[in-house]
């Protein structure tokens, strides 16, 4: 029997599958449109896009599908701490710049947060959902999105965060388990401690809030989707599984690293961006983390700006040892496919898994 949950009706989708926003290029308009056409909903991670590129991405999606899509932002962030001396952080990454034939790294400056302008651009896209991570949105932003008829979805990594999000007026909550690839959404308490597994987090969040809950983190196939639904989630949000699709806009070296990775070879690190994020362990991660003093790794987004030229060059040169290989712990289940084939496989696998469990 096909799965149907109230959140699926709200989002206008036929399968309980959300393609995660993947800021940095993973989530191309081609992927978002393919997921929509296949009955799920895809998100554009708009945090790192220039303002005019946000509208452009939305128009490209619209030229390919009339179905719903979403856009995702980071919540406004506090200004980063800037150490008096940037040398320790620059010195740590300099050898990697040299190995790639780049000029020595330059001291990064903190860009203006730019949340209001970014939100304005997102509100103009015609997207039907606004999701966000790394915090709470200002009341005015939630209201502005809702006034446009958008569904608003926040990200929690603990029960306390889910309760705070519900109080802020969101329509649904992504429960992001510790297995998840990419940045941890943690915003209450110690940034390093919100690494609760999906299996433990989802039911505890469901018990604490009345908003629909979306399970995320380590879900790669229909077995994971079925398990999340049985826990009471109303949909799943999957990132890593979509990164090895043909439509994903990441370098081939990144896709190959995921397809060759194992479950115990990912780690949460600050080395690339200054904020904890889970990725496949590589030499850059190991070297920059090891013995880094308090100023060895800058705060987000300074560290992100510092390492950007290196990551861009590494992508062009096909060198995975210098890329931020964001990926979740389910890497061994990744497959080389297309977004529409993946969606079809996920639907069939979910039905089969639910039937096996006697829930079909
Ligand atoms: C490459 C990558 C980039 C991501 N970027 C974002 C983002 O911009 N916004 C966001 O809310 N979540 C982002 N995430 C996290 C996902 O929303 C989701 O929590 C995660 O992918 C789930 O774990 P999985 O990768 O094991 O499926 C990203 C994840 C990955 C792998």
């Amino acid at each position: 029997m096909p799965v149907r949950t109230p959140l699926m009706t709200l989002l206008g989708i036929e399968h309980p599958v959300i393609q995660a926003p993947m800021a940095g290029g993973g989530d191309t308009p081609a992927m978002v449109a393919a997921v929509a056409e296949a009955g799920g909903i895809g998100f554009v991670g708009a945090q790192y896009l220039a303002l005019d590129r946000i509208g452009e991405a939305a128009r490209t999606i619209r030229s390919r599908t009339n179905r719903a899509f979403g856009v995702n932002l980071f919540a406004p962030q506090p200004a980063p701490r800037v150490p008096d001396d940037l040398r320790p952080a620059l010195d740590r990454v300099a050898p990697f710049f040299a190995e790639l034939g780049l000029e020595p790294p330059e001291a990064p400056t903190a860009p203006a947060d730019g949340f209001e302008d970014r939100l304005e651009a997102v509100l103009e896209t015609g997207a039907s959902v606004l999701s966000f991570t790394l915090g709470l949105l200002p009341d005015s932003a939630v209201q502005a999105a809702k006034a446009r008829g958008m569904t608003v979805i926040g990200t929690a990594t603990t029960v306390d965060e889910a309760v705070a999000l519900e109080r802020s007026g969101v329509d649904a909550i992504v429960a992001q388990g510790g297995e998840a690839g990419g940045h941890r959404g943690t915003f209450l308490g110690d940034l390093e401690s919100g690494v609760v597994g999906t299996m433990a987090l989802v039911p505890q969040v469901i018990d604490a809030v009345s908003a629909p809950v979306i399970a995320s983190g380590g879900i790669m196939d229909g077995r994971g989707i079925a398990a999340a639904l049985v826990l009471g989630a109303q949909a799943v949000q999957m990132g890593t599984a979509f990164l090895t699709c043909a439509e994903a806009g990441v370098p081939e070296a990144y896709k190959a690293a995921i397809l060759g990775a194992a479950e115990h070879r990912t780690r949460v690190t600050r080395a690339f961006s200054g904020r904890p994020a889970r990725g496949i362990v590589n030499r850059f991660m190991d070297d920059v983390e090891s013995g880094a003093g308090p100023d060895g790794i800058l705060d987000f987004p300074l560290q992100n700006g510092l390492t950007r030229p290196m990551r861009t060059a590494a992508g062009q040169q096909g060198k995975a040892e210098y890329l931020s290989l964001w990926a979740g712990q389910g890497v061994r289940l990744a497959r080389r496919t297309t977004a529409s084939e993946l969606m079809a496989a996920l639907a069939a696998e979910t039905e089969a898994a639910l039937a096996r469990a006697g829930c079909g």
Side-chain angles (χ1 to χ4, degrees):
M1 215 176 53
V3 174
R4 180 131 293 281
T5 66
L7 180 66
M8 291 168 65
T9 306
L10 178 69
L11 297 176
I13 55 179
E14 292 146 31
H15 300 302
V17 175
I18 298 173
Q19 167 247 301
M22 288 181 280
D27 54 12
T28 59
M31 176 182 288
V32 174
V35 170
E37 284 295 298
I41 184 166
F43 276 74
V44 179
Q47 183 63 27
Y48 304 142
L49 292 179
L51 292 185
D52 56 336
R53 297 290 301 281
I54 296 175
E56 196 181 304
R59 283 191 295 280
T60 310
I61 294 166
R62 263 293 154 264
S63 71
R64 290 168 180 249
T65 182
N66 287 324
R67 298 195 178 193
F69 67 95
V71 182
N72 172 274
L73 288 177
F74 291 1
Q77 296 299 298
R81 188 183 68 83
V82 185
D84 294 335
D85 183 8
L86 292 170
R87 244 318 110 209
L90 267 64
D91 287 349
R92 259 181 190 266
V93 302
F96 296 92
F97 276 59
E99 284 174 29
L100 288 168
L102 296 172
E103 295 292 318
E106 287 176 15
T109 49
D113 188 60
F115 174 79
E116 292 298 333
D117 292 341
R118 209 165 277 287
L119 175 69
E120 210 44 55
V122 168
L123 294 178
E124 295 297 320
T125 55
S128 55
V129 190
L130 167 65
S131 77
F132 60 96
T133 186
L134 310 188
L136 298 172
L137 290 191
D139 286 349
S140 57
V142 175
Q143 280 152 20
K146 290 193 171 181
R148 303 258 176 165
M150 295 172 93
T151 300
V152 180
I153 301 179
T155 307
T157 61
T158 61
V159 167
D160 285 351
E161 289 174 357
V163 169
L165 282 163
E166 177 155 76
R167 286 207 188 107
S168 78
V170 300
D171 299 301
I173 295 167
V174 173
Q176 187 194 40
E179 300 93 320
H183 283 103
R184 309 286 316 136
T186 306
F187 61 94
L188 291 181
D190 171 19
L191 288 194
E192 314 279 339
S193 64
V195 191
V196 181
T198 306
M199 186 95 179
L201 181 64
V202 168
Q204 295 186 77
V205 168
I206 288 171
D207 284 353
V209 298
S210 53
V213 172
I214 298 157
S216 191
I219 299 169
M220 299 292 288
D221 61 18
R223 293 171 297 183
I225 297 171
L229 293 168
V230 172
L231 287 177
Q234 295 205 17
V236 300
Q237 177 159 298
M238 300 166 63
T240 305
F242 283 97
L243 277 176
T244 47
C245 289
E247 295 88 343
V250 297
E252 176 52 33
Y254 187 169
K255 293 184 185 182
I258 293 176
L259 290 162
E263 69 287 354
H264 62 297
R265 293 298 293 157
T266 72
R267 190 160 76 219
V268 175
T269 183
R270 289 180 62 240
F272 288 100
S273 75
R275 259 200 81 107
R278 182 177 295 282
I280 298 168
V281 177
N282 59 8
R283 191 158 59 83
F284 179 84
M285 198 194 277
D286 269 343
D287 284 11
V288 170
E289 277 172 359
S290 69
D295 293 342
I297 300 176
L298 302 172
D299 279 3
F300 181 86
L302 290 172
Q303 185 76 5
N304 208 40
L306 174 64
T307 63
R308 184 174 295 116
M310 177 195 74
R311 291 181 282 118
T312 303
Q316 288 159 352
Q317 297 178 26
K319 293 186 172 158
E321 288 306 311
Y322 313 79
L323 288 172
S324 48
L325 301 168
W326 302 147
Q329 290 178 324
V331 276
R332 233 189 254 266
L333 302 172
R335 34 194 146 177
R336 197 180 277 284
T337 180
T338 65
S340 57
E341 279 171 11
L342 178 61
M343 287 296 298
L346 294 175
E349 292 164 5
T350 305
E351 273 203 44
L354 288 172
R356 271 199 309 277
C359 312

